Amino acid sequence: MKSYVIVIGIIFFSILSGCISPLKNDSIKVPKPSVTISSDTIWPAKGIYHITCDLYLEAFLAVGDSSSIVVDSSVVVYVNSHTANPMLTIGKGTKLYFGKYAGIQIGENGSFIAHGNPTSPITFTRDSSTDVWGSGKGGIFVNGYGHSTGQVSLKHCIIEYATIGLNDSCTFIELSHSTVKNCLHEGVVFNDWGGPKDSASFLHNVITENGSYPLTIRDVAYVGNLSGTGDFSGNAKDGILIFGGGIYPYTVSVWKKHNVPYVVKSVVRLSGTSPDSLIVRPGCRIEFDSGQYNGMEIGWACTFIAIGTESEPIVFTKEKSVQNWAGVRVDDVFYGQANFKHCVIEYANTGITAGAPITVSNCSIKNCRINGIEFTKTRNFNGQIAYGCPKDSSSFLNNVITGNGSYAITIYADRVGYLPGSGTFTGNGADGILVHGDIVAKSALWKNHDVPFVIDNCVDIGSAAGTIITIEPGCRFKFTKIGSYIQVGNTNEGTLIASGLPTDSIVFSNLSETIWWGFASAGLRIGNYATSSTSLRYCDISYATNGVYVDAAVSIQNCFFHDNRQYGIYLSKTGIDGRIMDNTFSNNILGEIYQ
């Protein structure tokens, strides 16, 4: 058998018989600053090659199968050229041994192909003189310094004991069926414009026993190029580290489940005026670092779909070492789609803050520092009022919102009808659905929930077209202060139908035993624009200024007025009491009915 020894440094070539250890070479070596290969070259198979100084490739270099290459300490093999298209290919079964600070750098116009096979992998490892090889930028470093590189493809490779196994800063690479292990820091790093070529080009890799994360992706746009295959467990920090950013316009990024979580150090943003989409697959776990903006932002024409399954929910949570993360925010300028199903959102400041219609069903939102979900109302830069709310009552089903520091849900009164009446909202710091005072222009059915509605200001029912609000039996309303009340037909036509049952009344009362609630004239104020269809039946009204102020001919029957500061019912004029009957009064300080 013939072996080939090339000592780069004095460009010494000899043919020897027998096997020669790549880690031992008695040839005389005279170091040079560097050597350039400027014409196409083939190093024959089963050779032993010793590189003793920096090697610059400006042409094609093919290393034959089952060869051994020794790269001395501080020596770098450069594959780059301003004018040519250099390429380094490594044959299957080849082993490369690197000294301290040694490595391979693929730069401008350079290509690097290392294709082993299952029985003859290519190995990149340390030599016997060092514990670790590679520079601070890694063992194999891909960087065109603002220029594009050629093809970078590694298959059936083993990269071990490097500072960083593979560091790609400027191109789309292929890495499949490879093992990256025992590196000082990360296994694989995608910096700046680096990333997997596509999800079919990053398959079945094992990245384990490294000193930091197995995989880091600085640009969130490339996370969807991961395939969801492989094993990334067993590292000092188990997770795929993401530094945030935005999804590129007109692209669809799909995040697949891995056996470690995604760990996000900044904000993931979908907010382009051009459509871009992020789809999160069942079973994904996404952990966020702490910070005011470390979370997800969704806006404009973008689409966000996180649909898990009952057995494989999608989890949005905090990184283990932090207290809270910012949460998910849907902007008030939003024309796309935000869809959460079978998700767990936990340990955020507020789980979801929505300034536009969204879908949230079969989700668990828990242990957030403030609220579970906040539905906001803003005037966006177009001058339009933008409401956050469920897309419709069928788009907010069977959620469990519990263990949060304040309310399960906050919402503006005009959108209360979008709540479906399903779900569990108990067990929060403030048990209730906080309803912000608002003009209610949309007719709706307000449904019963397992917690009360907590009213913090004036709810004004009425519109030019006429608004009809119907309240289900069993609903409870708690009012926070003087100035929180419900009025109907004050300046525009409105109808309030609050019809309880003998065994399931509708309750209007104070939030705290120490406060009164209502307008100066009443807790429920029925104005002269209230229609004759307005009706209160089997309602329990207490601790208001006056229980009900009436300025129109409406129906009030079988109601219980008690413990109000003045009267149970205050009639502003005569002749409107024809359908006020069969009510019960107790302990109203000034009396039952004022007329």
Side-chain angles (χ1 to χ4, degrees):
M1 182 179 73
K2 293 182 179 179
S3 295
Y4 298 87
V5 176
I6 294 181
V7 182
I8 302 297
I10 60 173
I11 316 184
F12 174 82
F13 176 87
S14 65
I15 300 176
L16 304 174
S17 58
C19 294
I20 298 178
S21 168
L23 301 182
K24 296 179 181 179
N25 195 319
D26 298 327
S27 302
I28 298 172
K29 300 184 287 291
V30 180
K32 280 190 173 184
S34 65
V35 168
T36 299
I37 294 179
S38 56
S39 59
D40 292 350
T41 302
I42 296 176
W43 290 358
K46 299 182 180 179
I48 300 173
Y49 307 101
H50 191 167
I51 303 174
T52 64
C53 66
D54 288 349
L55 174 61
Y56 288 86
L57 296 187
E58 294 185 351
F60 175 81
L61 173 60
V63 178
D65 296 347
S66 302
S67 295
S68 295
I69 300 175
V70 180
V71 183
D72 279 359
S73 296
S74 301
V75 171
V76 178
V77 177
Y78 294 94
V79 188
N80 66 280
S81 173
H82 294 299
T83 57
N85 295 293
M87 176 182 287
L88 172 61
T89 67
I90 309 292
K92 64 182 182 294
T94 294
K95 294 184 177 180
L96 296 91
Y97 301 84
F98 295 86
K100 191 174 185 179
Y101 305 123
I104 298 173
Q105 182 169 313
I106 300 94
E108 182 180 356
N109 297 319
S111 293
F112 179 56
I113 310 296
H115 288 178
N117 64 33
T119 59
S120 297
I122 298 169
T123 301
F124 303 83
T125 189
R126 64 189 178 184
D127 70 17
S128 61
S129 68
T130 186
D131 293 330
V132 65
W133 62 282
S135 69
K137 296 177 180 177
I140 301 172
F141 180 46
V142 184
N143 192 344
Y145 295 103
H147 302 277
S148 62
T149 61
Q151 181 183 7
V152 178
S153 178
L154 295 89
K155 297 180 181 179
H156 295 287
C157 291
I158 299 170
I159 305 172
E160 60 183 6
Y161 299 111
T163 50
I164 298 168
L166 173 62
N167 185 352
D168 173 24
S169 291
C170 71
T171 194
F172 296 122
I173 71 165
E174 297 176 284
L175 180 68
S176 290
H177 302 281
S178 294
T179 298
V180 185
K181 62 181 180 177
N182 298 316
C183 293
L184 183 63
H185 303 299
E186 293 91 343
V188 176
V189 173
F190 293 111
N191 265 315
D192 302 325
W193 299 281
K197 181 180 177 182
D198 51 45
S199 59
S201 302
F202 200 86
L203 296 170
H204 306 298
N205 299 300
V206 176
I207 308 177
T208 189
E209 297 182 27
N210 299 290
S212 184
Y213 291 97
L215 182 60
T216 294
I217 302 181
R218 185 163 292 275
D219 193 332
V220 71
Y222 303 136
V223 174
N225 290 1
L226 299 176
S227 64
T229 66
D231 182 358
F232 303 148
S233 63
N235 298 275
K237 297 181 179 180
D238 274 341
I240 299 169
L241 181 62
I242 302 169
F243 279 92
I247 308 298
Y248 291 154
Y250 300 104
T251 61
V252 178
S253 182
V254 180
W255 290 16
K256 295 99 179 169
K257 176 188 174 183
H258 294 86
N259 66 339
V260 296
Y262 297 98
V263 178
V264 181
K265 291 290 185 181
S266 185
V267 59
V268 176
R269 184 176 293 109
L270 289 87
S271 56
T273 53
S274 302
D276 48 274
S277 301
L278 174 57
I279 299 170
V280 184
R281 292 297 190 206
C284 282
R285 181 180 177 89
I286 305 172
E287 298 180 358
F288 292 86
D289 196 3
S290 63
Q292 183 179 358
Y293 302 108
N294 287 1
M296 305 198 75
E297 291 185 2
I298 307 160
W300 288 92
C302 302
T303 296
F304 179 78
I305 298 175
I307 299 179
T309 66
E310 187 173 355
S311 60
E312 286 196 303
I314 297 167
V315 178
F316 301 85
T317 188
K318 67 181 181 71
E319 195 181 7
K320 295 176 184 176
S321 61
V322 304
Q323 295 295 317
N324 297 98
W325 57 287
V328 179
R329 183 174 186 85
V330 179
D331 291 344
D332 53 9
V333 181
F334 182 53
Y335 311 109
Q337 177 186 173
N339 193 336
F340 300 83
K341 292 182 180 179
H342 292 291
C343 293
V344 176
I345 302 173
E346 61 183 6
Y347 299 110
N349 288 329
T350 286
I352 299 175
T353 302
I358 64 173
T359 296
V360 182
S361 288
N362 300 105
C363 291
S364 173
I365 303 175
K366 59 183 180 177
N367 300 322
C368 294
R369 186 174 66 86
I370 309 174
N371 299 309
I373 299 180
E374 293 180 6
F375 292 114
T376 65
K377 174 187 177 183
T378 58
R379 190 175 295 276
N380 62 35
F381 73 92
N382 291 325
Q384 301 171 328
I385 293 176
Y387 280 100
C389 58
K391 186 178 177 182
D392 51 47
S393 59
S394 66
S395 301
F396 198 81
L397 298 172
N398 305 318
N399 298 300
V400 176
I401 308 178
T402 189
N404 302 289
S406 190
Y407 289 97
I409 299 169
T410 72
I411 193 168
Y412 278 80
D414 192 51
R415 294 299 189 266
V416 168
Y418 289 78
L419 298 176
S422 73
T424 300
F425 305 142
T426 58
N428 297 280
D431 270 344
I433 297 170
L434 180 61
V435 178
H436 296 301
D438 196 15
I439 295 173
V440 181
K442 286 183 173 291
S443 297
L445 171 65
W446 290 5
K447 304 165 192 76
N448 187 23
H449 294 83
D450 62 351
V451 294
F453 296 103
V454 178
I455 311 295
D456 74 350
N457 216 309
C458 172
V459 173
D460 186 1
I461 299 169
S463 65
T467 303
I468 302 172
I469 294 298
T470 302
I471 300 175
E472 278 189 344
C475 282
R476 291 165 291 155
F477 294 83
K478 301 288 187 179
F479 296 82
T480 62
K481 60 188 178 181
I482 295 291
S484 61
Y485 60 101
I486 295 175
Q487 67 180 12
V488 56
N490 183 44
T491 57
N492 284 295
E493 182 179 308
T495 302
L496 175 63
I497 301 172
S499 294
L501 298 170
T503 57
D504 202 9
S505 60
I506 298 170
V507 177
F508 302 87
S509 189
N510 53 355
L511 180 63
S512 168
E513 293 181 357
T514 62
I515 63 170
W516 301 98
W517 62 278
F519 186 64
S521 56
L524 300 183
R525 189 175 189 281
I526 300 173
N528 64 338
Y529 287 95
T531 70
S532 60
S533 297
T534 295
S535 172
L536 305 179
R537 296 193 67 195
Y538 294 106
C539 294
D540 183 318
I541 303 170
S542 62
Y543 297 102
T545 49
N546 289 294
V548 179
Y549 173 93
V550 184
D551 194 26
V554 298
S555 174
I556 303 174
Q557 299 180 31
N558 304 110
C559 293
F560 181 32
F561 296 90
H562 62 98
D563 298 295
N564 293 292
R565 190 172 70 177
Q566 297 176 30
Y567 295 92
I569 299 174
Y570 189 107
L571 301 178
S572 68
K573 54 191 174 186
T574 60
I576 57 174
D577 59 348
R579 292 185 294 150
I580 299 176
M581 62 185 69
D582 300 325
N583 298 297
T584 304
F585 301 87
S586 174
N587 202 35
N588 299 288
I589 295 174
L590 296 185
E592 296 179 355
I593 299 176
Y594 175 88
Q595 187 168 355

